[in-house]
mmCIF file of all heavy atoms in Angstrom:
data_model
loop_
_atom_site.group_PDB
_atom_site.id
_atom_site.type_symbol
_atom_site.label_atom_id
_atom_site.label_comp_id
_atom_site.label_asym_id
_atom_site.label_seq_id
_atom_site.Cartn_x
_atom_site.Cartn_y
_atom_site.Cartn_z
ATOM 1 N N LYS A 2 1.992 1.219 0.735
ATOM 2 C CA LYS A 2 2.872 2.383 0.777
ATOM 3 C C LYS A 2 3.517 2.639 -0.576
ATOM 4 O O LYS A 2 3.744 3.787 -0.944
ATOM 5 C CB LYS A 2 3.942 2.198 1.849
ATOM 6 C CG LYS A 2 3.411 2.347 3.247
ATOM 7 C CD LYS A 2 4.529 2.328 4.249
ATOM 8 C CE LYS A 2 3.969 2.527 5.646
ATOM 9 N NZ LYS A 2 5.022 2.597 6.639
ATOM 10 N N ILE A 4 2.177 1.977 -3.523
ATOM 11 C CA ILE A 4 1.152 2.571 -4.391
ATOM 12 C C ILE A 4 0.979 4.045 -4.064
ATOM 13 O O ILE A 4 0.890 4.885 -4.956
ATOM 14 C CB ILE A 4 -0.179 1.812 -4.251
ATOM 15 C CG1 ILE A 4 -0.027 0.396 -4.810
ATOM 16 C CG2 ILE A 4 -1.306 2.550 -4.962
ATOM 17 C CD1 ILE A 4 -1.225 -0.479 -4.574
ATOM 18 N N ALA A 6 3.244 6.048 -2.744
ATOM 19 C CA ALA A 6 4.436 6.760 -3.205
ATOM 20 C C ALA A 6 4.407 6.954 -4.720
ATOM 21 O O ALA A 6 4.759 8.030 -5.222
ATOM 22 C CB ALA A 6 5.689 6.003 -2.791
ATOM 23 N N LEU A 10 4.162 10.569 -6.635
ATOM 24 C CA LEU A 10 5.208 10.927 -7.583
ATOM 25 C C LEU A 10 4.632 11.196 -8.969
ATOM 26 O O LEU A 10 5.059 12.120 -9.656
ATOM 27 C CB LEU A 10 6.256 9.814 -7.653
ATOM 28 C CG LEU A 10 7.486 10.094 -8.490
ATOM 29 C CD1 LEU A 10 8.263 11.252 -7.867
ATOM 30 C CD2 LEU A 10 8.358 8.869 -8.575
ATOM 31 N N ALA A 32 2.780 31.567 -20.192
ATOM 32 C CA ALA A 32 1.939 30.735 -19.327
ATOM 33 C C ALA A 32 2.560 29.362 -19.129
ATOM 34 O O ALA A 32 2.497 28.800 -18.036
ATOM 35 C CB ALA A 32 0.537 30.602 -19.922
ATOM 36 N N THR A 34 5.741 28.709 -19.115
ATOM 37 C CA THR A 34 6.860 28.904 -18.186
ATOM 38 C C THR A 34 6.359 28.957 -16.755
ATOM 39 O O THR A 34 6.917 28.293 -15.873
ATOM 40 C CB THR A 34 7.616 30.201 -18.526
ATOM 41 O OG1 THR A 34 8.069 30.128 -19.876
ATOM 42 C CG2 THR A 34 8.785 30.411 -17.594
ATOM 43 N N PRO A 39 6.283 24.964 -10.692
ATOM 44 C CA PRO A 39 6.127 23.949 -9.644
ATOM 45 C C PRO A 39 6.657 22.587 -10.073
ATOM 46 O O PRO A 39 7.211 21.843 -9.270
ATOM 47 C CB PRO A 39 4.619 23.885 -9.401
ATOM 48 C CG PRO A 39 4.069 25.116 -9.986
ATOM 49 C CD PRO A 39 4.999 25.541 -11.059
ATOM 50 N N LEU A 45 13.504 19.168 -8.946
ATOM 51 C CA LEU A 45 14.697 19.486 -8.145
ATOM 52 C C LEU A 45 14.632 18.834 -6.767
ATOM 53 O O LEU A 45 15.655 18.408 -6.233
ATOM 54 C CB LEU A 45 14.853 21.003 -8.010
ATOM 55 C CG LEU A 45 15.284 21.736 -9.270
ATOM 56 C CD1 LEU A 45 15.244 23.244 -9.040
ATOM 57 C CD2 LEU A 45 16.666 21.294 -9.702
ATOM 58 N N ARG A 51 18.046 16.543 -0.232
ATOM 59 C CA ARG A 51 18.557 17.125 1.019
ATOM 60 C C ARG A 51 18.977 18.580 0.907
ATOM 61 O O ARG A 51 19.188 19.228 1.920
ATOM 62 C CB ARG A 51 19.753 16.313 1.528
ATOM 63 C CG ARG A 51 19.425 14.883 1.802
ATOM 64 C CD ARG A 51 18.703 14.753 3.096
ATOM 65 N NE ARG A 51 18.407 13.347 3.332
ATOM 66 C CZ ARG A 51 17.329 12.923 3.908
ATOM 67 N NH1 ARG A 51 16.433 13.775 4.311
ATOM 68 N NH2 ARG A 51 17.124 11.647 4.091
ATOM 69 N N ALA A 52 19.109 19.107 -0.287
ATOM 70 C CA ALA A 52 19.562 20.492 -0.446
ATOM 71 C C ALA A 52 19.082 21.028 -1.780
ATOM 72 O O ALA A 52 18.658 20.283 -2.651
ATOM 73 C CB ALA A 52 21.084 20.556 -0.375
ATOM 74 N N GLU A 62 11.088 25.856 6.460
ATOM 75 C CA GLU A 62 10.160 26.724 7.191
ATOM 76 C C GLU A 62 10.784 28.103 7.385
ATOM 77 O O GLU A 62 11.911 28.229 7.830
ATOM 78 C CB GLU A 62 9.838 26.129 8.565
ATOM 79 C CG GLU A 62 9.069 24.831 8.500
ATOM 80 C CD GLU A 62 7.648 25.024 8.033
ATOM 81 O OE1 GLU A 62 7.102 26.120 8.198
ATOM 82 O OE2 GLU A 62 7.105 24.068 7.480
ATOM 83 N N GLU A 70 5.883 29.085 25.468
ATOM 84 C CA GLU A 70 4.622 28.549 25.981
ATOM 85 C C GLU A 70 3.635 28.192 24.867
ATOM 86 O O GLU A 70 2.485 27.892 25.136
ATOM 87 C CB GLU A 70 3.979 29.571 26.914
ATOM 88 C CG GLU A 70 4.875 29.931 28.079
ATOM 89 C CD GLU A 70 4.385 31.166 28.814
ATOM 90 O OE1 GLU A 70 3.438 31.813 28.337
ATOM 91 O OE2 GLU A 70 4.956 31.469 29.856
ATOM 92 N N THR A 72 2.048 25.972 21.804
ATOM 93 C CA THR A 72 1.980 24.585 21.354
ATOM 94 C C THR A 72 2.346 24.515 19.865
ATOM 95 O O THR A 72 2.370 25.536 19.172
ATOM 96 C CB THR A 72 0.570 24.003 21.560
ATOM 97 O OG1 THR A 72 -0.340 24.706 20.722
ATOM 98 C CG2 THR A 72 0.145 24.074 23.011
ATOM 99 N N GLN A 75 -0.540 25.829 17.693
ATOM 100 C CA GLN A 75 -0.633 27.286 17.661
ATOM 101 C C GLN A 75 0.450 27.881 16.763
ATOM 102 O O GLN A 75 0.202 28.825 16.009
ATOM 103 C CB GLN A 75 -0.509 27.862 19.072
ATOM 104 C CG GLN A 75 -1.696 27.603 19.958
ATOM 105 C CD GLN A 75 -1.429 28.022 21.395
ATOM 106 O OE1 GLN A 75 -0.277 28.086 21.836
ATOM 107 N NE2 GLN A 75 -2.502 28.313 22.118
ATOM 108 N N TYR A 76 1.643 27.314 16.852
ATOM 109 C CA TYR A 76 2.747 27.811 16.033
ATOM 110 C C TYR A 76 2.443 27.622 14.542
ATOM 111 O O TYR A 76 2.625 28.544 13.752
ATOM 112 C CB TYR A 76 4.042 27.095 16.407
ATOM 113 C CG TYR A 76 5.185 27.406 15.493
ATOM 114 C CD1 TYR A 76 5.784 28.660 15.491
ATOM 115 C CD2 TYR A 76 5.666 26.458 14.600
ATOM 116 C CE1 TYR A 76 6.828 28.953 14.645
ATOM 117 C CE2 TYR A 76 6.717 26.738 13.747
ATOM 118 C CZ TYR A 76 7.291 27.990 13.779
ATOM 119 O OH TYR A 76 8.323 28.279 12.936
ATOM 120 N N ALA A 81 0.618 29.600 9.225
ATOM 121 C CA ALA A 81 -0.356 29.581 8.131
ATOM 122 C C ALA A 81 -0.937 30.976 7.907
ATOM 123 O O ALA A 81 -1.154 31.382 6.759
ATOM 124 C CB ALA A 81 -1.460 28.581 8.431
ATOM 125 N N GLY A 87 1.035 36.491 2.879
ATOM 126 C CA GLY A 87 1.960 36.591 1.755
ATOM 127 C C GLY A 87 1.329 36.183 0.439
ATOM 128 O O GLY A 87 1.658 36.722 -0.619
ATOM 129 N N LEU A 97 -3.111 45.015 -10.057
ATOM 130 C CA LEU A 97 -2.252 46.088 -10.553
ATOM 131 C C LEU A 97 -1.962 45.913 -12.041
ATOM 132 O O LEU A 97 -1.944 46.894 -12.794
ATOM 133 C CB LEU A 97 -0.943 46.127 -9.764
ATOM 134 C CG LEU A 97 -1.001 46.752 -8.382
ATOM 135 C CD1 LEU A 97 0.329 46.575 -7.667
ATOM 136 C CD2 LEU A 97 -1.352 48.226 -8.483
ATOM 137 N N ALA A 98 -1.722 44.690 -12.461
ATOM 138 C CA ALA A 98 -1.475 44.438 -13.886
ATOM 139 C C ALA A 98 -2.709 44.789 -14.719
ATOM 140 O O ALA A 98 -2.582 45.310 -15.831
ATOM 141 C CB ALA A 98 -1.076 42.981 -14.091
ATOM 142 N N LEU A 100 -5.085 47.038 -13.842
ATOM 143 C CA LEU A 100 -5.301 48.487 -13.806
ATOM 144 C C LEU A 100 -4.321 49.235 -14.704
ATOM 145 O O LEU A 100 -4.661 50.255 -15.295
ATOM 146 C CB LEU A 100 -5.198 48.997 -12.369
ATOM 147 C CG LEU A 100 -6.339 48.589 -11.440
ATOM 148 C CD1 LEU A 100 -6.036 49.039 -10.018
ATOM 149 C CD2 LEU A 100 -7.647 49.179 -11.922
ATOM 150 N N LYS A 103 -2.064 49.200 -19.787
ATOM 151 C CA LYS A 103 -1.545 50.000 -20.894
ATOM 152 C C LYS A 103 -0.011 50.019 -20.878
ATOM 153 O O LYS A 103 0.612 50.129 -21.917
ATOM 154 C CB LYS A 103 -2.181 51.370 -20.784
ATOM 155 C CG LYS A 103 -1.382 52.542 -21.164
ATOM 156 C CD LYS A 103 -2.241 53.771 -21.359
ATOM 157 C CE LYS A 103 -2.352 54.572 -20.096
ATOM 158 N NZ LYS A 103 -2.881 55.911 -20.357
ATOM 159 N N GLY A 115 3.666 38.453 -8.780
ATOM 160 C CA GLY A 115 2.505 37.853 -8.125
ATOM 161 C C GLY A 115 2.497 36.344 -8.213
ATOM 162 O O GLY A 115 2.189 35.652 -7.248
ATOM 163 N N CYS A 122 3.589 31.020 -1.575
ATOM 164 C CA CYS A 122 3.124 31.370 -0.227
ATOM 165 C C CYS A 122 1.815 30.666 0.089
ATOM 166 O O CYS A 122 1.604 30.209 1.215
ATOM 167 C CB CYS A 122 2.961 32.885 -0.091
ATOM 168 S SG CYS A 122 4.509 33.772 0.064
ATOM 169 N N LYS A 125 2.628 27.070 0.859
ATOM 170 C CA LYS A 125 3.203 26.969 2.204
ATOM 171 C C LYS A 125 2.115 27.147 3.265
ATOM 172 O O LYS A 125 2.182 26.540 4.324
ATOM 173 C CB LYS A 125 4.309 28.011 2.407
ATOM 174 C CG LYS A 125 5.537 27.784 1.567
ATOM 175 C CD LYS A 125 6.251 26.531 1.963
ATOM 176 C CE LYS A 125 7.449 26.876 2.781
ATOM 177 N NZ LYS A 125 8.238 25.725 3.151
ATOM 178 N N ARG A 135 -1.832 17.853 11.993
ATOM 179 C CA ARG A 135 -1.070 16.690 12.441
ATOM 180 C C ARG A 135 -0.425 16.889 13.819
ATOM 181 O O ARG A 135 -0.088 15.911 14.477
ATOM 182 C CB ARG A 135 0.045 16.381 11.445
ATOM 183 C CG ARG A 135 -0.480 15.795 10.164
ATOM 184 C CD ARG A 135 0.602 15.329 9.286
ATOM 185 N NE ARG A 135 1.465 14.392 10.014
ATOM 186 C CZ ARG A 135 2.670 14.034 9.651
ATOM 187 N NH1 ARG A 135 3.182 14.546 8.551
ATOM 188 N NH2 ARG A 135 3.386 13.194 10.342
#
Side-chain angles (χ1 to χ4, degrees):
K2 286 187 178 183
I4 293 173
L10 186 64
T34 302
L45 288 173
R51 300 282 180 215
E62 294 290 335
E70 301 167 353
T72 65
Q75 289 172 336
Y76 172 70
L97 283 174
L100 290 174
K103 145 165 92 165
C122 285
K125 293 294 257 183
R135 288 188 54 197

